Amino acid sequence: MYSRQASISLRFFIITLWASNAFAGTILVKPSLTVNEMYDSNANYGNRDNQKGDFVSSVTPTIDFSNEGKGLALSGSYSLNSRYYSHEPELGYTGHNGNIGIQLDLSQRSAISFSDLVSYSKDTRETDGIGIQTSRTGILSNNATVALSHRLTGRTSLTLRGSDSFSKYDESSLIDSRTDSGGIDLSRQLNSSRSVNASYTYTNFHFENRGGDDVHTQSFQIGLSEQFSSDISLTLSGGAVYSGEIGDKYDWTAQTSLSKKYEMSSIALAYSRGVATSSGLTDEITINDRGSLTFLQTLSKSMNLTISGGYAQSRSEPTGSVNVDSCDATVRTDWRPSSWISIGGGYSRFQQWVEGPQGTGLSRDLVSLSITAYADGWRF
């Protein structure tokens, strides 16, 4: 596992170094340091009869960088997160998170973009983004994307895209997976406030322990984006996905968001339905539904309040061995009294219910307080 970490980290920094030096422009580097104290009511991710609470201290140095040259935009960050547990010191570990994004203008009409995200953690909710909490184990994940866009006319654009991602687990009972996809998007701006789009995506799912062929899916979606006013916007898309692994061969997909801005606050609703993996629980694809609500309030010039919550469902196809529901809620306040320091604190609750043979029913309550110090940026 650690050799994989070193290999990916090396690739990440080689790309960053190449991109930073291949094009003219000033590189801006901003370091920061975060110290966080947290109480985790279920530090071992156990079931309701076997959970153990603990106090967790973490230190996270971070480096953010950006570079804007002629026709080039580059940004990224790397952070190292060392966690220490008071009652169960053997649970301590060091996590890593790095990301980079590059956009290069090929001409006045065409551009190519690339992004890469790599992380190592012992919490699937931090690495997979699916909403399933599995057993505590080392997880190495990587997600790389590339897109080539071209403006066909003043209002019509075409994008070709591809992605490659994988998740690898230290625990042998969890199943490593790799996902490769390619697709095409066509968008049309109807007027200053409305646009329509259509997309096609082909995806190949490879599971390490699965015998036989990989799992293939094909999906098609159409969508509408509407800016009703300067403070109300709607994005709505839906379609169908086809796979031999799905019971009826077809299922439906959706992505919807509605946001409203006020003078000192904003609120956003979102819902999505699509096909993904099951965070290592099985060698089948899952149909994932998630709805979320986020409320942001500006309390003062330097203080913000965030309240968010969500509900998710994951069902594996075709056997249904994974049948997991989960909900999460977070309340957090952040205060930045000066440019070089910020203080934040909050509470979050996560609950997971399991009906199938895979997964663990559990709950987690997290109370945290953090302080972040920022250094002046350096230009090269």
Side-chain angles (χ1 to χ4, degrees):
M1 176 64 72
Y2 294 103
S3 62
R4 295 195 194 106
Q5 284 182 257
S7 175
I8 293 178
S9 298
L10 179 61
R11 182 182 70 177
F12 176 80
F13 283 111
I14 288 176
I15 292 174
T16 303
L17 183 63
W18 171 82
S20 299
N21 291 278
F23 303 93
T26 300
I27 303 172
L28 176 62
V29 177
K30 292 184 176 181
S32 62
L33 179 67
T34 300
V35 177
N36 185 76
E37 293 294 331
M38 178 178 68
Y39 175 76
D40 188 342
S41 69
N42 192 354
N44 60 325
Y45 312 158
N47 58 33
R48 295 176 182 86
D49 300 323
N50 191 37
Q51 65 181 48
K52 298 180 180 180
D54 208 340
F55 291 92
V56 187
S57 301
S58 64
V59 179
T60 307
T62 301
I63 296 178
D64 295 291
F65 57 88
S66 61
N67 175 38
E68 291 189 4
K70 185 177 181 181
L72 170 74
L74 166 69
S75 63
S77 68
Y78 173 77
S79 62
L80 182 150
N81 181 253
S82 297
R83 307 187 187 191
Y84 307 91
Y85 291 75
S86 298
H87 303 313
E88 305 287 341
E90 67 276 7
L91 296 179
Y93 70 95
T94 298
H96 304 267
N97 188 288
N99 68 84
I100 184 173
I102 303 171
Q103 179 169 317
L104 175 64
D105 294 334
L106 302 177
S107 67
Q108 292 184 346
R109 288 178 172 266
S110 302
I112 187 169
S113 61
F114 169 82
S115 67
D116 197 7
L117 170 64
V118 59
S119 65
Y120 176 80
S121 176
K122 292 192 175 182
D123 188 343
T124 50
R125 294 179 60 221
E126 295 180 356
T127 58
D128 293 351
I130 296 173
I132 298 177
Q133 181 79 73
T134 65
S135 58
R136 184 185 180 87
T137 186
I139 310 153
L140 178 64
S141 67
N142 187 69
N143 183 28
T145 63
V146 62
L148 175 64
S149 59
H150 180 71
R151 193 171 71 251
L152 301 175
T153 67
R155 293 189 173 186
T156 306
S157 298
L158 179 71
T159 300
L160 301 176
R161 51 183 167 77
S163 67
D164 172 72
S165 63
F166 67 77
S167 295
K168 297 183 180 294
Y169 306 90
D170 283 349
E171 185 173 316
S172 60
S173 62
L174 296 176
I175 299 173
D176 298 345
S177 63
R178 181 166 189 161
T179 304
D180 298 288
S181 70
I184 183 171
D185 303 322
L186 182 65
S187 63
R188 171 73 176 178
Q189 190 76 36
L190 301 180
N191 53 46
S192 60
S193 61
R194 182 179 302 160
S195 64
V196 293
N197 61 80
S199 66
Y200 167 81
T201 305
Y202 172 84
T203 306
N204 180 83
F205 295 91
H206 173 76
F207 298 96
E208 192 70 25
N209 298 346
R210 179 187 175 99
D213 297 331
D214 295 344
V215 179
H216 312 283
T217 66
Q218 299 183 67
S219 64
F220 176 78
Q221 280 192 321
I222 56 175
L224 168 71
S225 296
E226 180 80 28
Q227 189 75 38
F228 295 103
S229 64
S230 60
D231 52 11
I232 301 177
S233 61
L234 170 69
T235 300
L236 178 65
S237 66
V241 58
Y242 169 82
S243 175
E245 295 289 307
I246 299 175
D248 296 326
K249 304 297 184 182
Y250 290 93
D251 205 294
W252 58 277
T253 62
Q255 285 186 322
T256 304
S257 65
L258 175 64
S259 63
K260 165 69 174 175
K261 295 180 180 179
Y262 300 91
E263 182 178 357
M264 299 291 288
S265 62
S266 66
I267 187 169
L269 287 165
Y271 171 76
S272 64
R273 179 182 175 92
V275 177
T277 63
S278 60
S279 296
L281 292 179
T282 183
D283 57 0
E284 298 176 339
I285 58 174
T286 58
I287 304 296
N288 294 334
D289 295 86
R290 177 168 174 80
S292 64
L293 169 66
T294 303
F295 174 75
L296 302 176
Q297 176 70 51
T298 301
L299 302 177
S300 68
K301 186 177 180 180
S302 59
M303 182 176 291
N304 298 311
L305 171 68
T306 303
I307 302 174
S308 63
Y311 192 90
Q313 294 181 331
S314 297
R315 307 286 186 271
S316 65
E317 293 284 351
T319 68
S321 61
V322 173
N323 190 353
V324 177
D325 290 24
S326 65
C327 69
D328 60 88
T330 299
V331 178
R332 180 177 176 85
T333 299
D334 291 284
W335 177 45
R336 190 159 183 174
S338 69
S339 61
W340 63 272
I341 191 170
S342 65
I343 302 172
Y347 166 77
S348 66
R349 166 82 175 181
F350 175 77
Q351 183 84 39
Q352 180 169 281
W353 300 270
V354 175
E355 296 184 9
Q358 302 292 339
T360 302
L362 55 83
S363 63
R364 291 178 69 190
D365 294 280
L366 305 174
V367 181
S368 64
L369 176 65
S370 64
I371 299 176
T372 301
Y374 305 89
D376 293 335
W378 304 323
R379 296 183 182 275
F380 298 93

